[in-house]
Amino acid sequence: MIANGAGRTLPFSKLRWITLVGGGQQEFEGWGNPDNMRHFLNGSIAGYGGVKDAEIEFIYNTIGPEEGLMHRHTTPR
């Protein structure tokens, strides 16, 4: 990571993650995965790099359609 080292931060203030989920939204959320991903990507990685404005976009059913629907959901930090 380019922010490695004491007092170094990333050279940008906004970060948007695009997360591809192979299955459906209901099962993914049932396991608490959005919260885990939010904590890891926004809290651990973006936070370590000094980025305050980070969001995750989950795109569901990327392997194949489940129940004939494609879902998108934005989860802010």
Side-chain angles (χ1 to χ4, degrees):
M1 182 176 235
I2 58 177
N4 192 12
R8 298 179 77 185
T9 60
L10 294 170
F12 45 85
S13 60
K14 291 183 180 183
L15 182 59
R16 302 297 178 254
W17 303 97
I18 298 173
T19 307
L20 305 178
V21 180
Q25 180 176 359
Q26 186 175 13
E27 182 178 358
F28 188 75
E29 290 178 349
W31 288 97
N33 288 328
D35 291 334
N36 294 333
M37 299 277 301
R38 189 179 309 108
H39 181 281
F40 179 69
L41 294 174
N42 289 344
S44 298
I45 295 177
Y48 176 80
V51 177
K52 303 280 189 243
D53 184 3
E55 292 182 8
I56 302 173
E57 169 115 2
F58 294 99
I59 301 176
Y60 296 95
N61 299 311
T62 58
I63 293 177
E66 181 177 301
E67 302 169 353
L69 300 173
M70 296 295 285
H71 299 285
R72 293 181 66 172
H73 180 69
T74 301
T75 306
R77 181 178 185 177

